[in-house]
Amino acid sequence: MADPVSALQAILGSKGWLSGADAEPYQRDWLNRYGVAPLGVARPANTAEVAALVLACREAGVAVIPQGGNTGLCGGAVAGQPNAVIVSLSRMTAIGEPDLDSGSIAVEAGVVLAALHEALEPHGLMFPMHLGAEGSARIGGLIGTNAGGSHAFRYGMMQDLVLGLEVVMPDGTVWDGLRAVQKDNAGYQLRKLFCGSEGTLGIVTRAILRLYPTPRQQASALLVMSDFAGAVWFGAFLRGEAGEFLAGLEFFSDVGLGLALKHVPDLAYQLETRGDVYLLVELTSGSQRVPLDDILASALEWGMEHGLVVDGALATSGAQRAQFWRLREEQPEGQRLEGEQLKHDISVPPGAIARFIEAGAELCHDILPGTRINPFGHLGDGNIHYNLSPPEGRADFDGKAGAFADALSALATEMGGSFAAEHGLGRAKIAMADRNRGPVERELMARLKNALDPSGTMNPGVLVRLSQ
Amino acid sequence: MADPVSALQAILGSKGWLSGADAEPYQRDWLNRYGVAPLGVARPANTAEVAALVLACREAGVAVIPQGGNTGLCGGAVAGQPNAVIVSLSRMTAIGEPDLDSGSIAVEAGVVLAALHEALEPHGLMFPMHLGAEGSARIGGLIGTNAGGSHAFRYGMMQDLVLGLEVVMPDGTVWDGLRAVQKDNAGYQLRKLFCGSEGTLGIVTRAILRLYPTPRQQASALLVMSDFAGAVWFGAFLRGEAGEFLAGLEFFSDVGLGLALKHVPDLAYQLETRGDVYLLVELTSGSQRVPLDDILASALEWGMEHGLVVDGALATSGAQRAQFWRLREEQPEGQRLEGEQLKHDISVPPGAIARFIEAGAELCHDILPGTRINPFGHLGDGNIHYNLSPPEGRADFDGKAGAFADALSALATEMGGSFAAEHGLGRAKIAMADRNRGPVERELMARLKNALDPSGTMNPGVLVRLSQ
């Protein structure tokens, strides 16, 4: 094809094609670390246009870069070279009627997560995916990155919440896997394979998602814990004692609390005691007949009797609950405002969190003494956002970012965990994956990529490095 | 290789190689419909032996047929031609110490499901997979078929319960994916891809499984429902009212109850009323503070007030609960003892179950008037075991088995469901898959098979037909 751009303009029309200044907002990733100017940004109106543009790009040798809300942290949704087209489904935002008897809903991939939450509110059913970026993140991007978030240990990650998918393949054909059933063993689980494939195997255009009943009551508490070991022990106790109800089991450190209180306006810490680590515990139930407050209160008593909980408060109002959650949610912002930072997205078996925190601190202080360590995240599934700020008085990490990343990813791997827990690999972590995962695993991934995208059209340079 | 058998004997030793009469018990599938005599049965003692035998078979052009407990219903675990070796991991039955703080356990793939349940009993954690064959089914087979069972709608299928895997690939290399974390987005979700791959991509040798707290109380009820529509409505009500607690929502029909009472010794039906359809409802909780009986009792009252529940009883003892479950569990046996039968493993969106039952009956009676329809299964996830017995006075289906299968699978597909819900495709349903699924989907599966097993060594003729 002589001129791919005019071909794409013909397919997409004026509304569907952005270039020049209009395309700039799509060009760089959220952390502003990756992305070169593409030929343009395609904004197709429907699946047929997605299929046509993918085929046109493939024939013209142009790379196709699917982009959701562009809230990813690994640079997986922007172009690595200029001969590329970013595809945004921001015009495909239809939300179907929820199937209340079945607990499912069909949506287009451009739907923003918060918009889905809002659309479901009147129906008594919810989509149980919650994360900081939910105001911008789109369903397609959440599927592509297999998002997890703060409720994953109870409700699962995207791969656990996707029933059916429609995907435009790299050759422009459309896979119709839009089945609204949990049990479908008619062959390989394609619907799972596309979750977390980061746009390297195709473009998810529509999905059928699993819904859960909206809780009718909740109980929340903010706790000051003795230490990380105590937090882990208490978390295991809670899983047994309040397993069905446990909807949030978030943790953050005193370093992070300090940074958040220092930088984030109108943020208040209401307890008297400070400690090394804090837990945000939330129980929810669909039944009004469960004594949720009593269950949480007696769990707290147990924790205090055993010296695990140093101080704590149950939220007595929705406003107070929101304040508790804000302390956790402002962790990234507080650290960002402090200046230079390094993010690491780690998971370890939940029981090993305290050991990781301890061993990780030793590694970090060996690399750069005084480095301020700010771990926060999801105690229930062992997902630690292990973020660093430079030592007091330093503005940077003395060029040691790579050393931190290598040491911490090796430690997580050694402990049976992951160095890419919920943010994926994108462009940022391919080399790290090559170092931390065996050749068999990397070879398997390369084979899958080559099998489904032999022309290398879809998001080249993301997730897997091809030895070609 | 001149003589593959002697090479395999050298790898496996005398304990590890069965032939002749010793191999016969492995030869045919559970329904005795598939399986020719293989060269022999390999019973490796460890992963290294599995890898060596797979490599030897590949080099000799011998097919490798992984077999678990051989309880599958689609002929996926027996040989389709004599130049094959059945691989049983029945000597690899090690169960690791459960990680109580993390809620996970490492097992070898030969472990029998019931043995895992038993091993976990003292620990207060359980593996929430339950199905009729649990006394024989092995973890590797359950993973290979992505088993579902009666608790799947609450706890998930095998793909939702597998954290990490070790898999011997068709080229004899070993993929070490033994990570004990839910969140691992470091590339494609290989652990999910192998679930349901029916031994066509490799042999699962070890797994790390997710565990859940053992419930501390339960409440069970047997209900006579007005009709299927009422059962669906009541099921949706229960999901909202007792969502966290709902651990069993099983249904069976009056046809099936009649057959079970007629043929199965010591089976008792204790209610006064009979109806078209029965529900077995079970609520469980990890907390002693939940008024589980009250919650179930008031749900029943609600159902009676709304004319959905005609009659019902709460189990007042463990013995009575067991009797209730037996009525459901003996459904297949009662029908088997009646004589000739046809099994169909259907799923539809739960809200569509009643419509499927109605439309399915019309189709069946058009094909062969008087056909006795015995649907039973899992209301919560829409999984219907839609089994048929010939009309009263007939011993067979007048050669119309294919017509029933085609009509019912097309109906399930049309309704957004699956014709292979939890039993998989095996050898039995490949042609059906070719008819019911689009060419893009079948092509994708063929590409995955060719990418991971280019030599076609693993379980040829199962799950996917290669156009070569």
Side-chain angles (χ1 to χ4, degrees), chain A residues 304-354:
Chain A
M304 288 179 164
E305 284 163 14
H306 290 71
L308 310 177
V309 177
V310 176
D311 191 7
L314 269 71
T316 54
S317 68
Q320 194 178 18
R321 173 181 172 266
Q323 285 174 321
F324 288 173
W325 270 101
R326 235 188 118 213
L327 288 171
R328 161 65 182 89
E329 283 162 353
E330 296 288 7
Q331 292 293 312
E333 184 63 3
Q335 190 162 29
R336 188 182 71 81
L337 293 169
E338 177 75 359
E340 190 75 7
Q341 62 169 318
L342 297 174
K343 291 174 176 282
H344 308 95
D345 175 33
I346 300 290
S347 69
V348 294
I353 289 179

Coordinates of all heavy atoms in Angstrom, one line a residue, chain A residues 304-354:
Chain A
M304 N -5.6 -7.6 69.2 CA -5.0 -6.8 70.3 C -4.5 -7.8 71.4 O -3.4 -7.6 71.9 CB -6.0 -5.8 70.8 CG -6.2 -4.7 69.8 SD -7.4 -3.4 70.4 CE -7.1 -2.1 69.3
E305 N -5.4 -8.8 71.8 CA -5.0 -9.7 72.8 C -3.7 -10.4 72.4 O -2.8 -10.7 73.3 CB -6.0 -10.8 72.9 CG -7.3 -10.3 73.7 CD -8.4 -11.3 73.5 OE1 -8.2 -12.4 73.0 OE2 -9.6 -10.9 73.8
H306 N -3.5 -10.7 71.1 CA -2.3 -11.4 70.7 C -1.1 -10.4 70.3 O -0.1 -10.8 69.7 CB -2.6 -12.3 69.5 CG -3.4 -13.5 69.9 ND1 -4.8 -13.4 70.2 CD2 -3.1 -14.8 70.0 CE1 -5.2 -14.5 70.5 NE2 -4.3 -15.4 70.4
G307 N -1.3 -9.1 70.6 CA -0.3 -8.2 70.4 C 0.0 -7.9 69.0 O 1.1 -7.3 68.6
L308 N -0.9 -8.2 68.1 CA -0.7 -7.9 66.7 C -1.2 -6.5 66.3 O -0.6 -5.8 65.5 CB -1.4 -9.0 65.8 CG -1.1 -10.4 66.2 CD1 -1.9 -11.4 65.3 CD2 0.4 -10.7 66.1
V309 N -2.3 -6.2 66.9 CA -2.9 -4.9 66.6 C -2.6 -3.9 67.8 O -2.9 -4.2 68.9 CB -4.5 -5.0 66.5 CG1 -5.1 -3.6 66.3 CG2 -4.8 -5.9 65.3
V310 N -1.9 -2.8 67.4 CA -1.5 -1.9 68.5 C -2.6 -0.9 68.7 O -2.8 -0.5 69.9 CB -0.2 -1.2 68.0 CG1 0.2 -0.1 69.0 CG2 0.9 -2.2 67.8
D311 N -3.3 -0.4 67.7 CA -4.3 0.5 67.8 C -5.2 0.4 66.6 O -4.8 -0.2 65.6 CB -3.7 2.0 67.8 CG -4.8 3.0 68.2 OD1 -5.9 2.6 68.6 OD2 -4.4 4.2 68.2
G312 N -6.4 0.9 66.7 CA -7.3 0.8 65.5 C -8.6 1.4 65.8 O -9.0 1.7 66.9
A313 N -9.4 1.6 64.7 CA -10.7 2.3 64.8 C -11.6 1.7 63.7 O -11.2 1.5 62.5 CB -10.6 3.8 64.6
L314 N -12.8 1.4 64.1 CA -13.8 1.0 63.1 C -14.4 2.3 62.5 O -14.7 3.2 63.3 CB -14.9 0.2 63.7 CG -14.7 -1.4 63.7 CD1 -13.6 -1.8 64.6 CD2 -16.0 -2.1 64.1
A315 N -14.7 2.3 61.2 CA -15.3 3.5 60.6 C -16.7 3.6 61.1 O -17.5 2.6 61.1 CB -15.3 3.4 59.1
T316 N -17.1 4.7 61.6 CA -18.5 4.9 62.1 C -19.4 5.6 61.1 O -20.6 5.8 61.4 CB -18.5 5.7 63.4 OG1 -17.8 7.0 63.1 CG2 -17.7 5.0 64.5
S317 N -18.8 6.0 60.0 CA -19.6 6.6 59.0 C -19.0 6.4 57.6 O -17.8 6.0 57.5 CB -19.7 8.2 59.2 OG -18.4 8.7 59.0
G318 N -19.8 6.7 56.6 CA -19.3 6.5 55.2 C -18.1 7.5 55.0 O -17.1 7.2 54.3
A319 N -18.2 8.7 55.6 CA -17.2 9.7 55.5 C -15.9 9.2 56.1 O -14.8 9.4 55.5 CB -17.6 11.0 56.2
Q320 N -16.0 8.6 57.3 CA -14.8 8.1 57.9 C -14.2 7.0 57.1 O -12.9 6.9 56.9 CB -15.1 7.7 59.3 CG -13.8 7.5 60.2 CD -14.1 7.1 61.6 OE1 -15.2 6.6 61.9 NE2 -13.1 7.3 62.5
R321 N -15.0 6.1 56.6 CA -14.5 5.0 55.8 C -13.8 5.6 54.6 O -12.7 5.1 54.2 CB -15.7 4.2 55.3 CG -15.3 3.1 54.3 CD -16.5 2.3 53.7 NE -16.1 1.5 52.6 CZ -16.2 1.8 51.4 NH1 -16.7 3.0 51.0 NH2 -15.8 1.0 50.4
A322 N -14.3 6.6 54.0 CA -13.7 7.2 52.8 C -12.3 7.8 53.2 O -11.3 7.7 52.5 CB -14.5 8.3 52.2
Q323 N -12.2 8.4 54.4 CA -10.9 8.9 54.9 C -9.9 7.8 55.1 O -8.8 8.0 54.7 CB -11.1 9.7 56.2 CG -11.8 11.0 56.1 CD -12.1 11.6 57.5 OE1 -12.5 10.9 58.4 NE2 -11.9 12.9 57.6
F324 N -10.4 6.7 55.6 CA -9.4 5.5 55.8 C -8.9 5.1 54.4 O -7.7 5.0 54.2 CB -10.2 4.4 56.4 CG -10.5 4.5 57.9 CD1 -11.3 3.6 58.5 CD2 -10.0 5.6 58.6 CE1 -11.6 3.8 59.9 CE2 -10.3 5.8 59.9 CZ -11.1 4.8 60.6
W325 N -9.8 4.9 53.4 CA -9.4 4.5 52.1 C -8.5 5.5 51.5 O -7.5 5.1 50.8 CB -10.6 4.2 51.2 CG -11.1 2.8 51.3 CD1 -12.2 2.4 52.0 CD2 -10.5 1.7 50.7 NE1 -12.3 1.0 51.9 CE2 -11.3 0.5 51.1 CE3 -9.4 1.4 49.8 CZ2 -11.0 -0.8 50.6 CZ3 -9.2 0.2 49.4 CH2 -9.9 -0.9 49.8
R326 N -8.7 6.8 51.7 CA -7.9 7.8 51.1 C -6.5 7.7 51.6 O -5.5 7.9 50.8 CB -8.5 9.2 51.4 CG -8.7 10.0 50.1 CD -9.1 11.4 50.3 NE -8.1 12.3 49.7 CZ -7.7 13.5 50.3 NH1 -8.3 13.9 51.4 NH2 -6.8 14.2 49.7
L327 N -6.3 7.4 52.8 CA -4.9 7.2 53.4 C -4.2 6.2 52.5 O -3.0 6.3 52.2 CB -4.9 6.8 54.8 CG -5.4 7.8 55.8 CD1 -5.6 7.2 57.2 CD2 -4.4 9.0 55.9
R328 N -4.8 5.1 52.2 CA -4.2 4.1 51.3 C -4.1 4.5 49.9 O -3.0 4.4 49.3 CB -5.1 2.8 51.4 CG -4.9 1.8 50.3 CD -3.5 1.2 50.3 NE -3.3 0.2 49.2 CZ -2.9 0.6 47.9 NH1 -2.6 1.9 47.7 NH2 -2.8 -0.3 47.0
E329 N -5.1 5.2 49.4 CA -5.1 5.5 47.9 C -4.1 6.6 47.6 O -3.7 6.7 46.5 CB -6.5 5.8 47.5 CG -7.4 4.6 47.3 CD -8.9 4.9 47.2 OE1 -9.3 6.1 47.5 OE2 -9.7 4.0 47.0
E330 N -3.8 7.5 48.6 CA -3.0 8.6 48.3 C -1.5 8.2 48.4 O -0.6 9.1 48.3 CB -3.3 9.8 49.2 CG -4.7 10.4 49.0 CD -4.8 11.2 47.6 OE1 -3.8 11.1 46.8 OE2 -5.9 11.8 47.4
Q331 N -1.2 7.0 48.7 CA 0.2 6.5 48.9 C 1.0 6.9 47.6 O 2.1 7.5 47.7 CB 0.2 5.0 49.2 CG -0.3 4.6 50.5 CD 0.6 5.2 51.7 OE1 1.8 5.0 51.6 NE2 0.0 5.8 52.6
P332 N 0.6 6.5 46.4 CA 1.4 6.8 45.2 C 1.6 8.3 45.1 O 2.7 8.8 44.8 CB 0.6 6.2 44.1 CG -0.3 5.2 44.7 CD -0.6 5.7 46.1
E333 N 0.5 9.1 45.3 CA 0.6 10.5 45.1 C 1.5 11.2 46.1 O 2.3 12.0 45.7 CB -0.9 11.1 45.2 CG -1.0 12.6 44.9 CD -0.6 13.0 43.5 OE1 -0.3 12.1 42.7 OE2 -0.6 14.2 43.2
G334 N 1.4 10.8 47.3 CA 2.3 11.4 48.3 C 3.8 11.2 47.9 O 4.6 12.1 48.0
Q335 N 4.1 9.9 47.4 CA 5.5 9.7 47.1 C 5.9 10.4 45.8 O 7.0 10.9 45.7 CB 5.7 8.2 46.9 CG 7.1 7.8 46.8 CD 7.4 6.3 47.0 OE1 6.5 5.5 46.8 NE2 8.5 6.0 47.5
R336 N 4.9 10.5 44.9 CA 5.2 11.2 43.6 C 5.6 12.6 43.9 O 6.6 13.2 43.4 CB 4.0 11.2 42.7 CG 4.3 11.7 41.3 CD 3.0 11.6 40.4 NE 2.0 12.6 40.9 CZ 2.0 13.9 40.5 NH1 3.0 14.4 39.8 NH2 1.1 14.8 41.0
L337 N 4.9 13.3 44.8 CA 5.1 14.7 45.1 C 6.4 14.9 45.9 O 7.0 16.0 46.0 CB 3.9 15.3 45.9 CG 2.6 15.3 45.1 CD1 1.4 15.7 46.0 CD2 2.8 16.4 44.0
E338 N 6.9 13.8 46.5 CA 8.2 13.9 47.2 C 9.4 14.0 46.2 O 10.4 14.5 46.6 CB 8.4 12.7 48.1 CG 9.7 12.6 48.8 CD 9.8 13.6 50.1 OE1 8.8 14.3 50.3 OE2 10.8 13.6 50.8
G339 N 9.1 13.6 45.0 CA 10.2 13.7 44.0 C 10.5 12.4 43.3 O 9.6 11.6 43.2
E340 N 11.8 12.3 42.9 CA 12.2 11.0 42.3 C 11.8 9.8 43.0 O 11.7 9.8 44.2 CB 13.8 11.1 42.2 CG 14.4 10.0 41.3 CD 14.3 10.3 39.8 OE1 13.8 11.4 39.5 OE2 14.6 9.5 39.0
Q341 N 11.3 8.7 42.2 CA 10.9 7.5 42.9 C 11.2 6.3 42.0 O 11.3 6.5 40.8 CB 9.5 7.5 43.3 CG 8.5 7.7 42.1 CD 7.1 7.5 42.4 OE1 6.8 6.5 43.2 NE2 6.2 8.3 41.9
L342 N 11.3 5.1 42.6 CA 11.4 3.9 41.8 C 10.2 3.0 42.2 O 10.0 2.8 43.4 CB 12.7 3.2 42.1 CG 14.0 3.9 41.7 CD1 15.2 3.2 42.1 CD2 14.0 4.1 40.2
K343 N 9.5 2.5 41.2 CA 8.3 1.6 41.5 C 8.7 0.2 41.2 O 9.3 -0.1 40.2 CB 7.1 2.0 40.6 CG 6.5 3.3 41.0 CD 5.4 3.7 40.0 CE 4.7 5.0 40.3 NZ 3.7 4.8 41.4
H344 N 8.3 -0.7 42.1 CA 8.4 -2.2 41.8 C 7.2 -2.9 42.2 O 6.6 -2.7 43.3 CB 9.6 -2.8 42.7 CG 10.9 -2.0 42.5 ND1 11.3 -1.0 43.4 CD2 11.8 -2.1 41.5 CE1 12.4 -0.5 43.0 NE2 12.8 -1.1 41.9
D345 N 6.7 -3.7 41.2 CA 5.4 -4.3 41.4 C 5.6 -5.8 41.7 O 5.7 -6.6 40.8 CB 4.6 -4.1 40.1 CG 3.2 -4.9 40.1 OD1 2.6 -5.0 41.2 OD2 2.8 -5.3 39.0
I346 N 5.7 -6.1 42.9 CA 6.1 -7.5 43.4 C 4.9 -8.3 43.9 O 4.0 -7.7 44.5 CB 7.1 -7.3 44.6 CG1 8.3 -6.5 44.2 CG2 7.5 -8.6 45.2 CD1 9.2 -7.2 43.2
S347 N 4.9 -9.6 43.7 CA 4.1 -10.4 44.6 C 4.9 -11.6 45.1 O 5.8 -12.1 44.5 CB 2.9 -11.0 43.7 OG 3.3 -11.9 42.8
V348 N 4.5 -12.0 46.3 CA 5.1 -13.1 47.0 C 3.9 -13.9 47.7 O 2.9 -13.3 47.9 CB 6.2 -12.8 48.0 CG1 7.4 -12.1 47.4 CG2 5.6 -11.8 49.1
P349 N 4.1 -15.1 48.0 CA 3.1 -15.8 48.8 C 2.7 -14.9 50.0 O 3.7 -14.5 50.7 CB 3.7 -17.1 49.2 CG 4.7 -17.4 48.1 CD 5.2 -16.0 47.7
P350 N 1.4 -14.7 50.3 CA 1.1 -13.8 51.3 C 1.8 -14.0 52.6 O 2.2 -13.1 53.3 CB -0.4 -14.0 51.5 CG -0.9 -14.4 50.1 CD 0.3 -15.2 49.5
G351 N 2.0 -15.3 53.0 CA 2.7 -15.6 54.2 C 4.2 -15.2 54.2 O 4.8 -15.2 55.3
A352 N 4.7 -14.9 53.1 CA 6.1 -14.5 53.0 C 6.3 -13.0 52.9 O 7.5 -12.5 52.8 CB 6.7 -15.2 51.7
I353 N 5.3 -12.2 53.0 CA 5.4 -10.8 52.9 C 6.4 -10.2 53.9 O 7.3 -9.4 53.5 CB 4.0 -10.1 53.1 CG1 3.1 -10.4 51.9 CG2 4.2 -8.6 53.2 CD1 1.7 -9.8 52.0
A354 N 6.3 -10.6 55.1 CA 7.2 -10.0 56.1 C 8.7 -10.3 55.8 O 9.6 -9.5 55.9 CB 6.8 -10.5 57.5

